[in-house]
Amino acid sequence: MTVDSAALLTPASLARKHSHSSEDCLNTGQIGRYGDAHVGSTDVWRCILNVLLAVLGAGQLTLPYVMHQLGGLWQGAIALVVFTLLSMHSLKTLSYYELHFTPLGCLESYSQLVIRVLGSSGSLLCQFLLVFYAWGGAVAFLVILKAEFVAFFPSYGRAVLCGIACFLWRLSSCEDLTFLKKFSWLGCVVAVLITIVTVTAFVSPHGLTEQSLQLCSSSHEPSLLDVAAALPLISFSLNSSWAYIPVLCTLSDKSRTTSLIIWSNLLILLNYMFLAASGYCKFGKDVKPNIMDSLGQDQDFADSWMVRGAKVALCLQLTLALPLRFFVARKTIQDARPSLAGSNSSLALVLVFGATAAALPDISLATVLGIVSGICASMIIYILPAIVDLKLRPTISGSRLCGTDLANLLVSLLSLIVGGLILVGSLWANAMGVAVGS
Protein backbone atom coordinates (compact mmCIF):
# COMPACT_ATOMS: atom_id res chain seq x y z
CA MET A 1 0.00 0.00 0.00
CA THR A 2 1.43 3.31 -0.98
CA VAL A 3 1.36 6.46 1.05
CA ASP A 4 2.74 8.72 -1.63
CA SER A 5 -0.29 8.96 -3.83
CA ALA A 6 -2.91 10.77 -1.79
CA ALA A 7 -3.54 12.63 1.41
CA LEU A 8 -3.45 10.51 4.53
CA LEU A 9 -4.93 11.05 7.97
CA THR A 10 -3.93 14.69 7.80
CA PRO A 11 -4.81 16.33 11.12
CA ALA A 12 -7.34 19.13 10.77
CA SER A 13 -4.96 21.49 12.54
CA LEU A 14 -2.76 21.66 9.45
CA ALA A 15 -3.16 24.85 7.45
CA ARG A 16 -5.55 24.24 4.60
CA LYS A 17 -4.00 26.68 2.17
CA HIS A 18 -0.35 26.42 3.23
CA SER A 19 1.62 25.43 0.15
CA HIS A 20 4.14 23.42 2.15
CA SER A 21 1.83 21.43 4.43
CA SER A 22 2.08 17.65 4.44
CA GLU A 23 -1.46 17.59 3.08
CA ASP A 24 -0.46 19.47 -0.06
CA CYS A 25 2.81 17.62 -0.58
CA LEU A 26 1.30 14.19 -0.11
CA ASN A 27 -1.35 15.19 -2.58
CA THR A 28 0.37 14.12 -5.74
CA GLY A 29 -1.74 15.66 -8.44
CA GLN A 30 -4.45 13.13 -9.12
CA ILE A 31 -6.58 14.45 -6.28
CA GLY A 32 -5.50 18.06 -6.12
CA ARG A 33 -5.84 20.51 -3.26
CA TYR A 34 -9.00 20.73 -1.28
CA GLY A 35 -10.05 24.12 -2.53
CA ASP A 36 -13.74 24.61 -3.32
CA ALA A 37 -13.04 24.66 -7.04
CA HIS A 38 -11.92 21.05 -6.87
CA VAL A 39 -14.99 19.73 -5.06
CA GLY A 40 -17.08 17.55 -7.38
CA SER A 41 -14.78 18.02 -10.35
CA THR A 42 -14.03 14.36 -11.21
CA ASP A 43 -16.10 11.56 -12.75
CA VAL A 44 -16.45 8.15 -11.16
CA TRP A 45 -13.87 6.37 -13.35
CA ARG A 46 -11.14 8.86 -12.56
CA CYS A 47 -12.02 8.51 -8.87
CA ILE A 48 -11.67 4.74 -9.23
CA LEU A 49 -8.23 5.28 -10.72
CA ASN A 50 -7.34 7.56 -7.81
CA VAL A 51 -8.27 4.84 -5.33
CA LEU A 52 -6.14 2.33 -7.25
CA LEU A 53 -3.21 4.75 -7.24
CA ALA A 54 -3.61 5.17 -3.50
CA VAL A 55 -3.84 1.47 -2.64
CA LEU A 56 -1.79 -0.66 -5.04
CA GLY A 57 1.81 -0.85 -3.91
CA ALA A 58 4.37 -2.67 -1.81
CA GLY A 59 1.78 -4.11 0.58
CA GLN A 60 0.81 -6.77 -1.98
CA LEU A 61 4.28 -8.36 -1.93
CA THR A 62 3.37 -10.46 1.12
CA LEU A 63 0.10 -11.91 -0.20
CA PRO A 64 1.44 -15.25 -1.56
CA TYR A 65 3.10 -15.77 1.84
CA VAL A 66 -0.23 -14.93 3.50
CA MET A 67 -1.92 -17.74 1.57
CA HIS A 68 0.62 -20.20 2.90
CA GLN A 69 0.25 -18.87 6.46
CA LEU A 70 -3.53 -19.24 6.29
CA GLY A 71 -3.31 -22.87 5.21
CA GLY A 72 -3.66 -22.90 1.43
CA LEU A 73 -5.12 -21.38 -1.71
CA TRP A 74 -8.80 -21.58 -0.82
CA GLN A 75 -8.35 -20.31 2.72
CA GLY A 76 -6.31 -17.36 1.46
CA ALA A 77 -8.79 -16.57 -1.31
CA ILE A 78 -11.72 -16.62 1.12
CA ALA A 79 -9.83 -14.35 3.52
CA LEU A 80 -9.11 -11.87 0.72
CA VAL A 81 -12.78 -11.75 -0.26
CA VAL A 82 -14.01 -11.37 3.32
CA PHE A 83 -11.57 -8.59 4.15
CA THR A 84 -12.37 -6.83 0.88
CA LEU A 85 -16.04 -6.82 1.88
CA LEU A 86 -15.15 -5.38 5.31
CA SER A 87 -13.04 -2.71 3.60
CA MET A 88 -15.99 -1.86 1.34
CA HIS A 89 -18.20 -1.50 4.41
CA SER A 90 -15.65 0.91 5.89
CA LEU A 91 -15.75 3.03 2.72
CA LYS A 92 -19.56 2.95 2.69
CA THR A 93 -19.57 4.15 6.30
CA LEU A 94 -17.16 6.99 5.50
CA SER A 95 -19.35 7.95 2.52
CA TYR A 96 -22.48 8.02 4.70
CA TYR A 97 -20.99 10.46 7.19
CA GLU A 98 -19.21 12.62 4.65
CA LEU A 99 -22.49 13.17 2.83
CA HIS A 100 -24.35 13.63 6.12
CA PHE A 101 -22.02 16.35 7.41
CA THR A 102 -21.27 18.09 4.09
CA PRO A 103 -23.88 17.18 1.44
CA LEU A 104 -22.72 20.00 -0.85
CA GLY A 105 -19.04 20.21 0.08
CA CYS A 106 -16.56 17.77 1.54
CA LEU A 107 -14.58 16.91 4.62
CA GLU A 108 -10.92 17.65 4.06
CA SER A 109 -9.51 14.46 5.56
CA TYR A 110 -10.23 11.25 7.38
CA SER A 111 -9.17 12.88 10.64
CA GLN A 112 -11.91 15.53 10.41
CA LEU A 113 -14.51 12.80 10.66
CA VAL A 114 -12.76 11.18 13.64
CA ILE A 115 -12.28 14.50 15.43
CA ARG A 116 -15.99 15.35 15.03
CA VAL A 117 -16.75 12.24 17.08
CA LEU A 118 -13.79 11.91 19.47
CA GLY A 119 -12.81 15.58 19.89
CA SER A 120 -9.26 16.46 20.97
CA SER A 121 -8.48 12.85 21.82
CA GLY A 122 -9.29 12.00 18.20
CA SER A 123 -6.83 14.64 17.02
CA LEU A 124 -4.03 13.15 19.14
CA LEU A 125 -4.90 9.66 17.93
CA CYS A 126 -4.82 10.71 14.28
CA GLN A 127 -1.47 12.43 14.74
CA PHE A 128 -0.02 9.30 16.32
CA LEU A 129 -1.42 7.04 13.59
CA LEU A 130 -0.10 9.29 10.85
CA VAL A 131 3.43 9.44 12.27
CA PHE A 132 3.61 5.73 13.01
CA TYR A 133 1.95 4.73 9.72
CA ALA A 134 4.28 6.91 7.65
CA TRP A 135 7.45 6.02 9.57
CA GLY A 136 6.63 2.32 9.98
CA GLY A 137 5.78 2.05 6.30
CA ALA A 138 9.14 3.65 5.53
CA VAL A 139 10.86 0.91 7.55
CA ALA A 140 9.02 -1.67 5.43
CA PHE A 141 10.14 0.07 2.23
CA LEU A 142 13.74 0.07 3.49
CA VAL A 143 13.51 -3.65 4.31
CA ILE A 144 12.48 -4.29 0.70
CA LEU A 145 15.27 -2.07 -0.63
CA LYS A 146 17.84 -3.79 1.60
CA ALA A 147 16.86 -7.20 0.23
CA GLU A 148 17.13 -5.99 -3.37
CA PHE A 149 20.45 -4.21 -2.80
CA VAL A 150 21.91 -7.29 -1.09
CA ALA A 151 20.76 -9.39 -4.06
CA PHE A 152 22.34 -6.98 -6.56
CA PHE A 153 25.46 -6.23 -4.46
CA PRO A 154 26.04 -9.20 -2.10
CA SER A 155 29.17 -7.76 -0.47
CA TYR A 156 28.01 -4.22 0.21
CA GLY A 157 24.23 -4.10 -0.20
CA ARG A 158 23.71 -2.68 3.30
CA ALA A 159 26.33 0.00 2.62
CA VAL A 160 24.35 1.01 -0.49
CA LEU A 161 21.22 1.29 1.68
CA CYS A 162 23.08 3.62 4.08
CA GLY A 163 24.17 5.73 1.13
CA ILE A 164 20.56 5.95 -0.05
CA ALA A 165 19.62 6.99 3.49
CA CYS A 166 21.91 10.03 3.21
CA PHE A 167 20.10 11.05 0.03
CA LEU A 168 16.74 10.49 1.74
CA TRP A 169 17.78 12.59 4.72
CA ARG A 170 18.69 15.61 2.61
CA LEU A 171 15.49 15.32 0.58
CA SER A 172 13.30 14.77 3.66
CA SER A 173 14.70 17.98 5.18
CA CYS A 174 13.25 20.10 2.37
CA GLU A 175 10.27 22.40 2.89
CA ASP A 176 8.63 21.42 -0.40
CA LEU A 177 8.46 18.00 -2.06
CA THR A 178 5.69 18.72 -4.53
CA PHE A 179 8.03 17.94 -7.45
CA LEU A 180 7.84 14.26 -6.46
CA LYS A 181 4.13 14.13 -7.26
CA LYS A 182 4.89 13.48 -10.94
CA PHE A 183 6.10 10.01 -9.93
CA SER A 184 2.93 9.00 -8.05
CA TRP A 185 1.77 6.69 -10.86
CA LEU A 186 4.87 4.51 -10.45
CA GLY A 187 3.53 2.71 -7.38
CA CYS A 188 0.44 1.46 -9.20
CA VAL A 189 2.38 0.55 -12.37
CA VAL A 190 5.04 -1.37 -10.42
CA ALA A 191 2.34 -3.23 -8.46
CA VAL A 192 0.65 -4.41 -11.66
CA LEU A 193 4.05 -5.22 -13.20
CA ILE A 194 4.94 -7.46 -10.25
CA THR A 195 1.62 -9.28 -10.62
CA ILE A 196 2.29 -9.82 -14.34
CA VAL A 197 5.80 -11.13 -13.62
CA THR A 198 4.53 -13.51 -10.92
CA VAL A 199 1.73 -14.86 -13.12
CA THR A 200 4.18 -15.25 -16.02
CA ALA A 201 6.56 -17.21 -13.80
CA PHE A 202 3.74 -19.54 -12.85
CA VAL A 203 2.33 -20.17 -16.36
CA SER A 204 5.76 -20.48 -18.02
CA PRO A 205 6.89 -23.98 -19.16
CA HIS A 206 9.15 -24.20 -16.10
CA GLY A 207 6.43 -22.98 -13.75
CA LEU A 208 3.28 -24.78 -14.90
CA THR A 209 4.25 -28.29 -13.86
CA GLU A 210 2.49 -31.16 -12.15
CA GLN A 211 4.28 -30.22 -8.94
CA SER A 212 3.03 -26.61 -9.09
CA LEU A 213 -0.53 -27.79 -9.68
CA GLN A 214 -0.20 -30.00 -6.62
CA LEU A 215 0.99 -27.00 -4.63
CA CYS A 216 -2.20 -25.15 -5.63
CA SER A 217 -4.34 -27.88 -4.15
CA SER A 218 -2.18 -28.56 -1.10
CA SER A 219 -3.06 -27.22 2.31
CA HIS A 220 -1.98 -27.49 5.91
CA GLU A 221 -3.49 -26.78 9.29
CA PRO A 222 -2.30 -23.30 10.31
CA SER A 223 -1.77 -22.46 13.94
CA LEU A 224 -3.59 -19.60 15.63
CA LEU A 225 -0.30 -17.68 15.67
CA ASP A 226 0.07 -18.16 11.89
CA VAL A 227 -3.39 -16.72 11.28
CA ALA A 228 -2.82 -13.85 13.72
CA ALA A 229 0.39 -12.92 11.89
CA ALA A 230 -1.15 -13.22 8.40
CA LEU A 231 -4.44 -11.32 8.65
CA PRO A 232 -2.86 -7.87 9.31
CA LEU A 233 -0.93 -8.22 6.06
CA ILE A 234 -4.22 -8.50 4.16
CA SER A 235 -5.53 -5.45 6.02
CA PHE A 236 -2.45 -3.43 5.08
CA SER A 237 -2.74 -4.31 1.40
CA LEU A 238 -6.46 -3.38 1.32
CA ASN A 239 -6.24 -0.11 3.24
CA SER A 240 -8.03 2.39 1.01
CA SER A 241 -9.88 4.10 3.88
CA TRP A 242 -7.05 6.56 4.60
CA ALA A 243 -7.23 8.04 1.08
CA TYR A 244 -10.92 7.63 0.36
CA ILE A 245 -12.43 10.84 1.79
CA PRO A 246 -10.38 13.24 -0.38
CA VAL A 247 -11.17 11.06 -3.41
CA LEU A 248 -14.90 11.10 -2.60
CA CYS A 249 -14.66 14.86 -2.19
CA THR A 250 -13.79 15.17 -5.88
CA LEU A 251 -16.61 12.91 -7.13
CA SER A 252 -19.05 14.99 -9.18
CA ASP A 253 -22.05 12.64 -8.97
CA LYS A 254 -22.39 11.43 -5.38
CA SER A 255 -25.07 8.96 -6.45
CA ARG A 256 -22.19 6.95 -8.00
CA THR A 257 -20.57 6.37 -4.61
CA THR A 258 -21.53 2.69 -4.57
CA SER A 259 -20.04 2.21 -8.05
CA LEU A 260 -16.83 3.88 -6.89
CA ILE A 261 -16.55 1.52 -3.92
CA ILE A 262 -17.48 -1.67 -5.76
CA TRP A 263 -15.38 -1.19 -8.89
CA SER A 264 -12.24 0.07 -7.15
CA ASN A 265 -12.28 -2.79 -4.64
CA LEU A 266 -13.12 -5.35 -7.31
CA LEU A 267 -10.12 -4.31 -9.42
CA ILE A 268 -7.85 -4.34 -6.37
CA LEU A 269 -9.15 -7.79 -5.40
CA LEU A 270 -8.58 -9.19 -8.91
CA ASN A 271 -4.98 -7.95 -8.94
CA TYR A 272 -4.37 -9.43 -5.49
CA MET A 273 -5.99 -12.75 -6.35
CA PHE A 274 -3.82 -13.21 -9.43
CA LEU A 275 -0.64 -12.31 -7.55
CA ALA A 276 -1.40 -14.31 -4.41
CA ALA A 277 -2.63 -17.44 -6.19
CA SER A 278 0.13 -17.60 -8.81
CA GLY A 279 2.86 -16.84 -6.26
CA TYR A 280 1.58 -19.44 -3.82
CA CYS A 281 1.09 -22.11 -6.50
CA LYS A 282 4.57 -21.41 -7.87
CA PHE A 283 6.47 -21.70 -4.57
CA GLY A 284 4.11 -23.39 -2.11
CA LYS A 285 5.42 -23.69 1.45
CA ASP A 286 8.79 -22.28 0.34
CA VAL A 287 7.32 -18.87 -0.55
CA LYS A 288 9.13 -15.97 1.12
CA PRO A 289 7.42 -13.13 3.04
CA ASN A 290 8.38 -10.97 0.04
CA ILE A 291 7.42 -12.59 -3.29
CA MET A 292 10.27 -10.72 -5.00
CA ASP A 293 12.73 -12.68 -2.86
CA SER A 294 11.16 -15.93 -4.08
CA LEU A 295 11.31 -14.83 -7.72
CA GLY A 296 14.92 -13.73 -7.27
CA GLN A 297 15.90 -17.18 -6.00
CA ASP A 298 14.04 -19.16 -8.66
CA GLN A 299 16.68 -20.84 -10.83
CA ASP A 300 14.52 -20.92 -13.94
CA PHE A 301 13.33 -17.32 -13.79
CA ALA A 302 15.64 -15.22 -11.59
CA ASP A 303 17.86 -14.00 -14.43
CA SER A 304 15.04 -13.11 -16.81
CA TRP A 305 14.71 -9.53 -17.94
CA MET A 306 11.18 -9.39 -16.52
CA VAL A 307 12.26 -10.17 -12.95
CA ARG A 308 15.29 -7.89 -13.10
CA GLY A 309 13.23 -5.11 -14.64
CA ALA A 310 10.55 -5.46 -11.95
CA LYS A 311 13.20 -5.35 -9.22
CA VAL A 312 14.82 -2.21 -10.64
CA ALA A 313 11.43 -0.53 -11.06
CA LEU A 314 10.48 -1.46 -7.49
CA CYS A 315 13.73 -0.01 -6.11
CA LEU A 316 13.25 3.22 -8.06
CA GLN A 317 9.62 3.61 -6.97
CA LEU A 318 10.33 2.97 -3.29
CA THR A 319 13.31 5.33 -3.27
CA LEU A 320 11.16 8.12 -4.69
CA ALA A 321 8.28 7.33 -2.31
CA LEU A 322 10.36 7.25 0.89
CA PRO A 323 11.03 11.02 1.17
CA LEU A 324 7.27 11.66 1.20
CA ARG A 325 6.79 9.26 4.09
CA PHE A 326 9.53 10.88 6.16
CA PHE A 327 8.26 14.32 5.17
CA VAL A 328 4.76 13.52 6.40
CA ALA A 329 6.07 12.14 9.71
CA ARG A 330 8.27 15.21 10.20
CA LYS A 331 5.56 17.75 9.35
CA THR A 332 3.04 16.03 11.62
CA ILE A 333 5.47 16.12 14.55
CA GLN A 334 6.27 19.78 13.87
CA ASP A 335 2.59 20.71 13.70
CA ALA A 336 1.99 18.96 17.01
CA ARG A 337 5.09 20.57 18.56
CA PRO A 338 5.55 24.10 17.10
CA SER A 339 8.84 24.45 18.98
CA LEU A 340 10.35 21.99 16.48
CA ALA A 341 9.29 24.04 13.46
CA GLY A 342 12.85 25.09 12.66
CA SER A 343 14.40 21.64 13.15
CA ASN A 344 13.85 20.19 9.69
CA SER A 345 17.32 18.72 9.25
CA SER A 346 17.78 17.27 12.72
CA LEU A 347 14.27 15.82 12.88
CA ALA A 348 14.62 14.29 9.41
CA LEU A 349 17.99 12.86 10.50
CA VAL A 350 16.40 11.05 13.44
CA LEU A 351 13.50 9.74 11.36
CA VAL A 352 15.53 8.58 8.35
CA PHE A 353 18.46 6.98 10.14
CA GLY A 354 16.21 5.56 12.85
CA ALA A 355 14.20 3.78 10.15
CA THR A 356 17.39 2.66 8.39
CA ALA A 357 18.78 1.23 11.62
CA ALA A 358 15.52 -0.67 12.17
CA ALA A 359 15.68 -2.09 8.62
CA LEU A 360 19.34 -3.19 8.59
CA PRO A 361 19.03 -6.36 10.77
CA ASP A 362 17.63 -9.60 9.38
CA ILE A 363 13.98 -8.76 9.88
CA SER A 364 11.13 -9.99 7.71
CA LEU A 365 8.91 -7.70 5.66
CA ALA A 366 5.97 -9.63 7.14
CA THR A 367 7.08 -8.67 10.64
CA VAL A 368 7.33 -4.95 9.88
CA LEU A 369 4.05 -4.78 7.97
CA GLY A 370 2.39 -6.95 10.60
CA ILE A 371 3.24 -4.52 13.39
CA VAL A 372 2.40 -1.40 11.37
CA SER A 373 -0.86 -2.79 10.05
CA GLY A 374 -1.78 -4.32 13.40
CA ILE A 375 -1.68 -0.88 14.99
CA CYS A 376 -2.58 1.44 12.13
CA ALA A 377 -4.50 -0.44 9.44
CA SER A 378 -6.76 -2.09 12.00
CA MET A 379 -7.56 1.32 13.49
CA ILE A 380 -8.03 3.08 10.16
CA ILE A 381 -10.06 0.45 8.31
CA TYR A 382 -12.08 -1.24 11.03
CA ILE A 383 -12.00 0.29 14.49
CA LEU A 384 -12.41 4.05 13.92
CA PRO A 385 -15.11 3.87 11.20
CA ALA A 386 -16.99 1.34 13.35
CA ILE A 387 -16.81 3.62 16.41
CA VAL A 388 -18.07 6.56 14.34
CA ASP A 389 -20.95 4.48 12.98
CA LEU A 390 -21.94 2.91 16.31
CA LYS A 391 -21.89 6.28 18.02
CA LEU A 392 -23.61 8.48 15.43
CA ARG A 393 -26.01 6.31 13.43
CA PRO A 394 -28.50 5.75 16.31
CA THR A 395 -28.53 9.53 16.92
CA ILE A 396 -29.07 10.35 13.24
CA SER A 397 -31.66 7.64 12.61
CA GLY A 398 -33.49 8.04 15.93
CA SER A 399 -36.61 5.91 16.16
CA ARG A 400 -36.18 4.90 12.52
CA LEU A 401 -33.28 2.55 13.36
CA CYS A 402 -34.28 -0.57 11.45
CA GLY A 403 -33.62 -2.41 8.20
CA THR A 404 -30.52 -1.05 6.46
CA ASP A 405 -29.43 1.06 9.44
CA LEU A 406 -29.61 -1.91 11.76
CA ALA A 407 -27.74 -4.14 9.30
CA ASN A 408 -24.99 -1.52 8.97
CA LEU A 409 -24.66 -1.28 12.74
CA LEU A 410 -24.31 -5.05 13.00
CA VAL A 411 -21.59 -5.09 10.34
CA SER A 412 -19.86 -2.17 12.09
CA LEU A 413 -19.92 -4.15 15.33
CA LEU A 414 -18.36 -7.09 13.47
CA SER A 415 -15.78 -4.74 11.95
CA LEU A 416 -14.93 -3.39 15.40
CA ILE A 417 -14.43 -6.91 16.74
CA VAL A 418 -12.29 -7.91 13.75
CA GLY A 419 -10.18 -4.77 14.10
CA GLY A 420 -9.66 -5.42 17.79
CA LEU A 421 -8.65 -9.03 17.16
CA ILE A 422 -6.20 -7.97 14.45
CA LEU A 423 -4.73 -5.30 16.71
CA VAL A 424 -4.16 -7.70 19.60
CA GLY A 425 -3.39 -10.80 17.55
CA SER A 426 -0.80 -9.20 15.29
CA LEU A 427 1.18 -7.73 18.18
CA TRP A 428 1.02 -11.08 19.99
CA ALA A 429 2.10 -13.08 16.92
CA ASN A 430 4.98 -10.79 16.07
CA ALA A 431 6.10 -10.65 19.71
CA MET A 432 6.28 -14.46 19.54
CA GLY A 433 8.54 -14.16 16.48
CA VAL A 434 6.26 -15.96 14.01
CA ALA A 435 7.38 -13.95 10.97
CA VAL A 436 10.90 -12.95 12.05
CA GLY A 437 13.52 -13.58 9.38
CA SER A 438 13.06 -14.20 5.67
Side-chain angles (χ1 to χ4, degrees), residues 60-61 63-64 190-204 207-208 271-283 287 290-292 294-295 301 306-307 310:
Q60 71 176 30
L61 298 176
L63 292 180
V190 171
V192 175
L193 176 62
I194 290 171
T195 298
I196 293 173
V197 170
T198 306
V199 172
T200 302
F202 172 64
V203 301
S204 67
L208 195 58
N271 178 73
Y272 286 173
M273 280 292 190
F274 278 117
L275 173 71
S278 59
Y280 173 73
C281 291
K282 171 69 176 174
F283 300 104
V287 67
N290 181 350
I291 188 60
M292 296 305 293
S294 296
L295 290 170
F301 211 66
M306 289 187 70
V307 171

Side-chain angles (χ1 to χ4, degrees), residues 70-88:
L70 292 178
L73 180 64
W74 290 109
Q75 295 91 320
I78 291 171
L80 272 172
V81 171
V82 170
F83 278 80
T84 298
L85 292 175
L86 286 175
S87 177
M88 291 170 65

Side-chain angles (χ1 to χ4, degrees), residues 61-334:
L61 298 176
T62 63
L63 292 180
Y65 170 79
V66 166
M67 284 203 160
H68 165 64
Q69 288 291 95
L70 292 178
L73 180 64
W74 290 109
Q75 295 91 320
I78 291 171
L80 272 172
V81 171
V82 170
F83 278 80
T84 298
L85 292 175
L86 286 175
S87 177
M88 291 170 65
H89 171 72
S90 173
L91 299 186
K92 193 66 177 176
T93 299
L94 295 175
S95 300
Y96 177 82
Y97 290 104
E98 158 127 349
L99 299 179
H100 170 74
F101 287 124
T102 55
L104 299 179
C106 68
L107 296 174
E108 292 187 4
S109 65
Y110 184 111
S111 67
Q112 278 199 346
L113 183 58
V114 176
I115 293 168
R116 281 176 183 262
V117 181
L118 301 181
S120 59
S121 60
S123 178
L124 292 174
L125 178 60
C126 286
Q127 287 174 340
F128 165 76
L129 289 176
L130 178 53
V131 172
F132 188 77
Y133 192 65
W135 186 84
V139 175
F141 284 12
L142 289 166
V143 168
I144 297 171
L145 284 176
K146 178 196 66 179
E148 300 306 329
F149 291 153
V150 169
F152 283 127
F153 315 105
S155 300
Y156 47 91
R158 284 177 168 82
V160 173
L161 183 67
C162 292
I164 292 293
C166 295
F167 163 76
L168 296 174
W169 167 47
R170 295 312 305 166
L171 206 56
S172 302
S173 302
C174 296
E175 276 294 331
D176 189 358
L177 291 182
T178 52
F179 68 94
L180 286 176
K181 65 187 178 183
K182 65 183 69 175
F183 303 107
S184 63
W185 54 272
L186 269 177
C188 188
V189 170
V190 171
V192 175
L193 176 62
I194 290 171
T195 298
I196 293 173
V197 170
T198 306
V199 172
T200 302
F202 172 64
V203 301
S204 67
H206 295 293
L208 195 58
T209 63
E210 183 178 348
Q211 181 183 6
S212 65
L213 294 177
Q214 289 176 349
L215 290 175
C216 283
S217 59
S218 66
S219 62
H220 71 277
E221 192 69 30
S223 68
L224 186 60
L225 275 173
D226 291 334
V227 174
L231 292 183
L233 303 179
I234 299 180
S235 301
F236 189 91
S237 65
L238 287 169
N239 187 8
S240 56
S241 299
W242 59 269
Y244 178 71
I245 284 183
V247 173
L248 180 59
C249 178
T250 68
L251 181 62
S252 57
D253 183 1
K254 296 299 191 292
S255 66
R256 304 296 304 278
T257 298
T258 301
S259 297
L260 168 61
I261 294 172
I262 291 175
W263 280 105
S264 58
N265 279 272
L266 180 61
L267 292 172
I268 291 167
L269 179 63
L270 286 174
N271 178 73
Y272 286 173
M273 280 292 190
F274 278 117
L275 173 71
S278 59
Y280 173 73
C281 291
K282 171 69 176 174
F283 300 104
K285 63 182 178 61
D286 296 321
V287 67
K288 302 293 184 183
N290 181 350
I291 188 60
M292 296 305 293
D293 292 341
S294 296
L295 290 170
Q297 294 175 14
D298 182 65
Q299 295 180 348
D300 298 320
F301 211 66
D303 293 328
S304 70
W305 65 269
M306 289 187 70
V307 171
R308 290 186 174 274
K311 284 174 169 284
V312 171
L314 178 63
C315 290
L316 176 62
Q317 189 269 321
L318 294 182
T319 301
L320 293 173
L322 274 164
L324 286 166
R325 281 193 172 266
F326 291 122
F327 179 86
V328 170
R330 174 175 67 81
K331 288 295 293 181
T332 304
I333 293 172
Q334 289 175 323

